[in-house]
Amino acid sequence: MKSLMKSMLFLAVGFAMATTADAALTPSLTLNFRFDANGGANPTVAGATTVNLAAGSAGQTYLVDVWASIQGDAADQTKTLYGLKNIKYRGFSDIVTGATGAFGTGGTLGYAGSFVGQSGFGGVGTTVPASADTGSTIDGNVVAIVPDGLFDFGKNSLLSNASQSLPSFVSANANGEILIAKFNFTTGTATQNGNVTEFFPTIPNTASAANYTQDGSTSIIGPILAGSPLVFQVASGATTISVSPGADRSVLKGGSVTVSSTLNNTGSVDLAGGDYTFAAADAGGTGITYGAANPSPSSTGIVHATGQSFNFGASTTGATPIGNATITFTGNGTATNKVSNGPQTGTLVLNVGGATADNSNTLGAFGPALTAPVAHGVSYAGLESQVVAVTGTGGSNANNGGLGGNAKILAGINNGANGGGTATVSMQWRTRLQPSEANPGQHPPIPIGVTTGLISDILNLSGLETNGNSTDPFVLQMSYNPALLPKGGSPAIEAGLVTNKLIYLVSPSNNVDGGPYVNTVSMNTANIVTSTLDSRYGYAGSYTAFQADPAGGNGGTPASELGAWGVDTSSGQHQVWAVVNHNSEFAVVPEPSTFILCGLGVLGLVAIRRRAKNA
């Protein structure tokens, strides 16, 4: 809704009865506000009703002229027979555009007093209008007595001609008008382009009438009409913009990605560096942080009708939830108000670690890659993805959601990937092949003795290569579904398998999708941990616990732990980790043979015999 209504001139006058001879004369009086030729810090052309404010310009005081015009009937359009005896009027404001109009509200803005009658209208009975915020108008006819933050004519101003009559309506300009008063009007700091405030001569009702004279003697009654208002508009030094984000993006959780948007200048005024700001943020509290835009808005400008692309480094953290985050790009003008329609926004969706697994039951077919760059000398730790959806049919898609496979790199440094440059780590997923990986009837691909099939989705990890499939040592952790363990995976069954070192990560021994699968640490080059009797082989606990355990990693580096692996079932976790130095595909299997039917005690015996034989 518009703020309050336009400045109002209430023209009410003392009047006398018209004679019969005068009845045919039906003149009207129109009162107009115009800027004075020499008024204010920004003088305007004499008679102008509009002043253009430069966006952000400081407030100033304008001198305003009040002009009266009596329009005769069809028999007399010469405007030479009429005189004006006295007149009352008021002035009210109208905030046309924007919350506070062209220059804001409050303080002492608006009618600033210094009201002086002109052309003899300053004689006996003259009342100078008081300055007060008493209302507004939107059409020059109806007044709302609701304050709007701008000073109006708080009381009627009675202007009387010193002689109470004029011999004729002697106009002071070619429009047949007479100057009857001057007053001051003060603005505040100009707001954004397009905003408008008016100060309007307004009549309170159609019954208002003015008292004129014909030939300086015969009284005539006629209507009062609202004329031209003062118009303040912010029209110079500003332009319009739009924001066009780039395509939606994906990134591994814990990684970073470049997101971009274009700021388009769609107006007619050039913008220079420092005239605007451009930023990226998300409202979800996801922990995503954004680097400075490149190029920097402080040093690069966009010009009329061209776009400037801005790139932001979006970095996710361990606290960032897996899923979609909406990134909002915001372009706005600076304090100089060079942008008229700011702020302008645009959004794109950033998928953080949410993987879609391929479920087409096809070897070599994986879902879309989630990636993250890792610079030379920087840790891989924290890079993570999880299956949140599947695409295609035919595979072993448990419960229409895969197995919710989760993979995370826990440790490792990029010391030689990509020839010593930046490694682009990639994770892709597929569901288990049906029936060979989900319910195998023969071997390969499942290792000998495994009767349950894989108990996880299959991860394709790449980008860490230093030479062929070799990588710097790193620690990979993957989740599994305990419900797929033998006999439904009761806590006792799971605990027995962990104790007997029979849940582990596997990879295809020939580096070809689909197997045959072997314990992934057997694919390493130059293992440090080689004995199945080593406490670091099949460690019962998380990698964090392993690192803190004197009998485990004892705070060592992946290079000093190569070949170690373990299973974490603490706090409801179902995860397997391994220290490896190869890129591959990874999955999880349990390895009880049919001896599982004999109970956990036999499992322990089987495990002991196997370790003794291997030793």
Side-chain angles (χ1 to χ4, degrees):
M1 173 180 177
K2 288 191 173 204
S3 357
L4 302 168
M5 307 173 168
K6 295 181 180 178
S7 72
M8 158 184 128
L9 275 179
F10 175 34
L11 308 180
V13 283
F15 58 88
M17 295 296 293
T19 65
T20 302
D22 301 323
L25 298 175
T26 57
S28 62
L29 184 144
T30 301
L31 209 63
N32 299 297
F33 287 165
R34 296 196 179 100
F35 293 100
D36 188 87
N38 300 309
N42 182 19
T44 57
V45 177
T49 59
T50 300
V51 64
N52 292 324
L53 304 176
S57 62
Q60 50 195 330
T61 298
Y62 293 88
L63 182 61
V64 179
D65 296 336
V66 183
W67 292 92
S69 174
I70 299 176
Q71 192 74 23
D73 63 7
D76 180 12
Q77 296 292 331
T78 64
K79 306 181 184 67
T80 61
L81 300 179
Y82 300 107
L84 179 61
K85 296 185 69 173
N86 53 57
I87 181 171
K88 288 183 179 180
Y89 54 95
R90 301 177 72 181
F92 282 85
S93 53
D94 176 24
I95 297 175
V96 180
T97 308
T100 58
F103 48 77
T105 60
T108 58
L109 303 183
Y111 167 55
S114 299
F115 189 97
V116 178
Q118 305 291 311
S119 305
F121 285 88
V124 178
T126 296
T127 302
V128 175
S131 180
D133 180 11
T134 57
S136 66
T137 182
I138 61 172
D139 59 7
N141 293 289
V142 179
V143 177
I145 309 302
V146 180
D148 65 353
L150 297 178
F151 278 6
D152 314 298
F153 290 3
K155 293 182 180 180
N156 292 341
S157 61
L158 173 61
L159 287 189
S160 298
N161 184 271
S163 62
Q164 296 296 303
S165 67
L166 290 175
S168 63
F169 192 85
V170 181
S171 62
N173 63 24
N175 296 323
E177 297 175 309
I178 185 170
L179 181 66
I180 63 173
K182 292 178 181 284
F183 65 89
N184 287 334
F185 192 98
T186 300
T187 68
T189 301
T191 54
Q192 293 192 347
N193 184 38
N195 287 359
V196 176
T197 294
E198 295 179 339
F199 196 68
F200 212 94
T202 305
I203 58 174
N205 56 67
T206 57
S208 298
N211 182 205
Y212 322 122
T213 63
Q214 181 184 8
D215 297 328
S217 59
T218 305
S219 295
I220 301 171
I221 305 299
I224 303 173
L225 304 178
S228 60
L230 304 176
V231 179
F232 300 89
Q233 63 183 20
V234 186
S236 61
T239 191
T240 57
I241 60 173
S242 66
V243 175
S244 303
D248 293 346
R249 301 297 305 276
S250 296
V251 64
L252 289 170
K253 178 179 176 179
S256 62
V257 65
T258 298
V259 292
S260 64
S261 182
T262 299
L263 183 63
N264 304 289
N265 185 351
T266 56
S268 59
V269 178
D270 290 356
L271 286 175
D275 288 342
Y276 58 91
T277 60
F278 202 61
D282 68 285
T286 60
I288 299 175
T289 57
Y290 303 91
N294 180 28
S296 170
S298 62
S299 60
T300 303
I302 60 174
V303 297
H304 171 53
T306 64
Q308 176 66 62
S309 180
F310 293 91
N311 300 316
F312 296 84
S315 299
T316 67
T317 67
T320 307
I322 286 178
N324 290 334
T326 299
I327 297 178
T328 299
F329 301 93
T330 302
N332 204 356
T334 62
T336 57
N337 292 298
K338 286 295 186 70
V339 174
S340 66
N341 62 336
Q344 290 293 301
T345 62
T347 62
L348 66 75
V349 174
L350 178 63
N351 170 26
V352 181
T356 297
D358 182 89
N359 188 47
S360 66
N361 208 41
T362 304
L363 281 172
F366 289 84
L370 295 175
T371 63
V374 177
H376 180 72
V378 176
S379 174
Y380 294 118
L383 298 183
E384 180 180 1
S385 68
Q386 180 171 320
V387 176
V388 297
V390 297
T391 182
T393 58
S396 180
N397 172 22
N399 301 320
N400 291 323
L403 300 179
N406 179 280
K408 183 176 183 179
I409 299 179
L410 303 181
I413 302 292
N414 174 15
N415 286 321
N418 195 26
T422 297
T424 301
V425 181
S426 171
M427 293 186 183
Q428 297 173 278
W429 293 84
R430 67 168 175 83
T431 61
R432 300 173 299 165
L433 298 176
Q434 187 73 269
S436 61
E437 293 177 336
N439 186 22
Q442 60 182 0
H443 303 282
I446 304 302
I448 297 296
V450 176
T451 60
T452 62
L454 301 181
I455 57 174
S456 74
D457 293 319
I458 294 83
L459 169 72
N460 182 28
L461 177 65
S462 62
L464 293 78
E465 302 88 349
T466 57
N467 182 24
N469 262 18
S470 298
T471 69
D472 292 311
F474 68 98
V475 182
L476 176 66
Q477 174 182 279
M478 285 186 66
S479 66
Y480 61 88
N481 188 341
L484 298 179
L485 291 172
K487 292 189 175 183
S490 68
I493 291 289
E494 184 177 26
L497 293 172
V498 172
T499 299
N500 286 274
K501 306 185 179 184
L502 297 175
I503 303 177
Y504 51 90
L505 282 177
V506 292
S507 296
S509 61
N510 55 6
N511 287 318
V512 176
D513 186 39
Y517 289 111
V518 296
N519 191 319
T520 194
V521 297
S522 68
M523 299 284 293
N524 288 341
T525 301
N527 274 329
I528 302 299
V529 178
T530 58
S531 171
T532 60
L533 298 178
D534 193 318
S535 61
R536 296 173 293 176
Y537 188 94
Y539 184 85
S542 67
Y543 181 70
T544 299
F546 173 81
Q547 282 280 283
D549 190 342
N554 198 25
T557 65
S560 66
E561 305 159 352
L562 194 61
W565 62 275
V567 184
D568 179 17
T569 58
S570 63
S571 303
Q573 302 297 313
H574 307 283
Q575 297 170 329
V576 181
W577 55 267
V579 185
V580 296
N581 63 355
H582 63 91
N583 257 1
S584 190
E585 295 169 16
F586 300 90
V588 183
V589 296
E591 190 204 330
S593 61
T594 54
F595 288 110
I596 189 67
L597 301 176
C598 300
L600 298 178
V602 175
L603 272 176
L605 179 60
V606 171
I608 292 171
R609 288 177 176 173
R610 180 182 294 113
R611 290 196 296 272
K613 180 178 179 180
N614 290 339

